[in-house]
Structure formats: structure tokens, C-alpha cells
Amino acid sequence: MRDLLLIAFFALLGAGFAGVLGALALRLLRHRSVAVSLTVVAAVTVTAMLAGTLAVAQAMFLSPHDLKVVTMVAAMAAAVSLAVALLLGRWVVARSRELTQAARSFGEGGAFSAPDRAPTAELAELSRELAATSEKLAASRERERALEASRRELVAWISHDLRTPLAGLRAMSEALEDGVVQDPERYFTQIRTEVDRLNGMVGDLFELSRIHAGALALTPTRMSVYDLVGEALAGADPLAREHGVRLVGDRVEPVPVEVDGKEMTRVLANLLVNAIRRTPEDGTVAVAAERREEWVVLSVTDGCGGIPEEDLPRVFDTGWRGSQARTPPAGAGLGLAIVRGIVEAHAGRADVRNVTGGCRFEVKLPAAAVGA
């Protein structure tokens, strides 16, 4: 038993000495390639074994021939182990460099494409994470491009719509100032109309800026959809009469919702004004409301003849008005963007689809809890 303990002590002493040297080497080479680190680890393993073996051999007083044989065997094992470690390190480094090249390409604005050859499990996990990040960045870039295009269109259209009434106001004011107007009252009425229109555009811009900034403060209260729709129909009735359009609201279920009454009235008003202006004379605009599972769906159906399929995804974009809506009184193209912003602030969703003879705008709101 005493001899076994002695052998174990000498083996531990030799291996420990090799391990300390290996730890120091790893610390000094910690910033070098992973191939170097793997080689050092393999060298430490083989050296520890060799040192322990030689220490034990010396303690056991082996013959010089036997000691030489043991040393040669250990040396050959060390050489083979170092060669294998070096090859393994070079393989890992090559896979790592391929992954680095792929990561660099998507970091410069391209799409990440994982290397074809299978790397280690850790590099495979990193590759999957980089692919997921690449997809998120691509989606973010696409949203950024869409927002930038929408912003440019908005600026162009707002500039166009502001220039026209401002030029008219200037011409009318100059005519009144020069005293060449035969009917001043008509000019005053027209000036007031243009000022109201400009005020409406500024109000829409302010509302949209609050929505985009997340500063839209809502005060939800429990109310019936029937009352909400009734108030909106009453407000839109004068415009409908002016355009010769019939308003129909006989399919409204009295289901409860918890919404900000003022903001949701604006939503319905924007949808009704949009529908009335695009429905031909003697046409019909129908409003309906019903409960579908956990949602309350309000819909406004017009007789505009439909929207081109390629334009449907852009209907709620800021500033979008379509190719046939670039002239007054179409406004600045902010009404539907405001609708979507207010509805989404209520945890709802706004959609549009074509129906026979026109299109249907739907607003989905979470239904209020029964008995709450």
C-alpha cells in the first residue's frame, strides 16, 4: 500500500508541474488563435502524462533500457497527440473564419448566409442566431424604407396641399386690398373655408405626431357601440346630404366596448367622410357592428368601385391617397393613418377589403367583459 501511495504522489507531482506550466502558457497565449489553445491543451495533457510516467519510472529504479522505452513511447504519443490537436484547431479555425466572412457580409447591409459545411455545435448555434438576427434586420430595414418613402410622400403632398390654399388666400387678400372685388362677402366666405381647411390639416398632423410619438392619452370608458355609431352617423349626415349619399346604419348590434369615446368617434368620422367623398351621388354608405368571438367589429362599406389590389396594403400608410385622390377635398391623406393609429392604441386592428361595388373598412376592437 505504501508503494502505491508513493507512486501516486510522484505521478501527481510530475503531472501537477506540467499542468502549472500549461496554465501559464494558456494565460500568455489567451489572445492567440483557438488552434494554439487546443495545441497547448493537448501538449499539457501529454506532458502531464509523460512527466508523471518518468517520475514514477525513476522512483521505481527501472533499468536504463526500460526507461528509454517508456520515454520513447510517451514521446511518440505526445507527437501524435500534438499533430491531431493542431489539425483539429486548424479545422475549427477554418470554420470560424467562414462564419466570420458570412457575418461580415450581412453586417455590411446584406443577408446572412450560413456556411455550407457543418461547424461545431457552438458555431452552429451562433450561425442560427446570426441568421435570425439577419432576418430581423432585413425586416427592420424594409420597415425603415417604407417609413422613409411614406414620409417623403407625406412631405410632398402636404407641400402641394398647403401651397394651393395659401396661393388662393394671397390672391384673394390682394384683390380685397386693391379694392377690385365686386362681391367682398363671397371672398370672405371663401377665405374662411380655406382657413378651416388649413386648420383641419394642421390638426391632423398634430394628431398623427402624437400617435407616432406614443403620446396619445386614452381615457377608456364603457359604452355601447350603438351609441357610438349613432353619434358618428349624426355628425356625418350633413356631408352625406351635400353629396347626395344615403347613410345606412340598421345593422348595429348594441354590444359594449371600453374605448375612448372622443378618439373612436374620430375614427368613425374619418371612415365615414372618406366613404362619402368616394361614393358617387345617389350611392349608399352602410355602417354595421357585430360581435365576433372576443372582438367587436365595426365596418363602413362604400360604393367607390373598389381599390386596386396592389394598393390595398398601403391604404393606411401615412400620406397615401391613391392615384385618383390627389386633389381637394381629399385632404392630406392622413385620415386613414390616424384611424389605424387610434385603433392600434386600443389594442385593435384596422383592415380593408374589396366588396361588390366598393370596399369595406373594418375596425376590430376587444369586446368588453360581460357584466363588468
Side-chain angles (χ1 to χ4, degrees):
M1 185 67 183
R2 182 174 175 276
D3 293 339
L4 289 177
L5 291 177
L6 186 62
I7 290 172
F9 173 75
F10 278 108
L12 180 62
L13 186 63
F17 180 73
V20 171
L21 291 179
L24 291 175
L26 283 176
R27 179 173 178 80
L28 294 174
L29 301 173
R30 63 185 181 275
H31 299 303
R32 301 294 296 274
S33 170
V34 67
V36 176
S37 298
L38 288 175
T39 303
V40 171
V41 170
V44 168
T45 303
V46 174
T47 304
M49 180 193 68
L50 181 60
T53 301
L54 293 178
V56 172
Q58 290 287 351
M60 292 176 66
F61 302 102
L62 293 179
S63 65
H65 178 269
D66 292 342
L67 182 60
K68 183 178 180 180
V69 170
V70 171
T71 304
M72 184 176 297
V73 171
M76 290 301 100
V80 173
S81 299
L82 290 176
V84 171
L86 187 58
L87 289 175
L88 176 62
R90 290 173 62 86
W91 182 83
V92 173
V93 168
R95 302 291 85 74
S96 177
R97 287 175 178 171
E98 290 178 0
L99 189 59
T100 301
Q101 288 295 114
R104 183 178 294 117
S105 66
F106 105 86
E108 294 172 351
F112 176 76
S113 179
D116 295 332
R117 286 177 287 184
T120 63
E122 291 79 8
L123 292 180
E125 179 64 23
L126 178 59
S127 180
R128 287 191 292 269
E129 289 297 327
L130 288 174
T133 302
S134 176
E135 292 178 0
K136 293 178 182 178
L137 287 176
S140 177
R141 284 192 293 265
E142 187 62 30
R143 287 194 300 269
E144 184 180 353
R145 282 193 290 266
L147 288 174
E148 180 62 18
S150 177
R151 185 191 67 81
R152 290 179 179 178
E153 289 180 352
L154 175 62
V155 171
W157 293 347
I158 286 291
S159 300
H160 172 270
D161 287 345
L162 286 176
R163 186 181 296 111
T164 301
L166 287 175
L169 288 172
R170 180 174 181 176
M172 287 185 287
S173 63
E174 289 177 351
L176 289 170
E177 184 180 12
D178 295 339
V180 297
V181 178
Q182 296 181 356
D183 186 4
E185 290 299 325
R186 184 172 66 85
Y187 273 56
F188 290 145
T189 301
Q190 185 64 27
I191 289 174
R192 184 167 59 251
T193 299
E194 294 295 338
V195 169
D196 289 342
R197 182 170 160 230
L198 289 173
N199 185 63
M201 293 173 63
V202 172
D204 285 346
L205 283 171
F206 178 71
E207 182 76 2
L208 194 62
S209 67
R210 287 201 304 157
I211 292 173
H212 286 172
L216 184 64
L218 299 178
T219 307
T221 57
R222 187 182 178 91
M223 63 179 60
S224 171
V225 173
Y226 188 86
D227 296 333
L228 193 65
V229 173
E231 183 177 349
L233 288 174
D237 185 66
L239 181 64
R241 292 179 181 274
E242 179 184 344
H243 286 75
V245 174
R246 294 186 300 274
L247 289 180
V248 178
D250 53 1
R251 293 177 52 204
V252 179
E253 299 179 5
V255 292
V257 289
E258 291 188 6
V259 295
D260 186 307
K262 177 182 177 181
E263 297 296 340
M264 286 309 302
T265 298
R266 179 164 192 168
V267 166
L268 290 176
N270 284 359
L271 291 177
L272 286 171
V273 168
N274 182 74
I276 291 170
R277 285 176 173 170
R278 284 157 179 75
T279 298
E281 188 174 355
D282 202 28
T284 301
V285 172
V287 182
E290 61 179 340
R291 179 160 185 166
R292 299 178 190 169
E293 299 177 352
E294 300 301 320
W295 298 92
V296 174
V297 181
L298 293 86
S299 64
V300 176
T301 306
D302 59 33
C304 67
I307 300 173
E309 292 294 329
E310 63 273 13
D311 288 342
L312 284 176
R314 298 197 58 204
V315 166
F316 291 99
D317 288 354
T318 301
W320 186 88
R321 291 177 295 181
S323 59
Q324 298 178 351
R326 296 293 298 276
T327 56
L334 305 180
L336 294 179
I338 291 173
V339 166
R340 180 174 62 179
I342 295 176
V343 171
E344 290 180 350
H346 284 84
R349 191 176 69 185
D351 295 306
V352 60
R353 70 175 189 271
N354 287 323
V355 295
T356 303
C359 57
R360 177 174 297 159
F361 289 84
E362 289 188 350
V363 170
K364 295 178 66 176
L365 297 170
V370 178

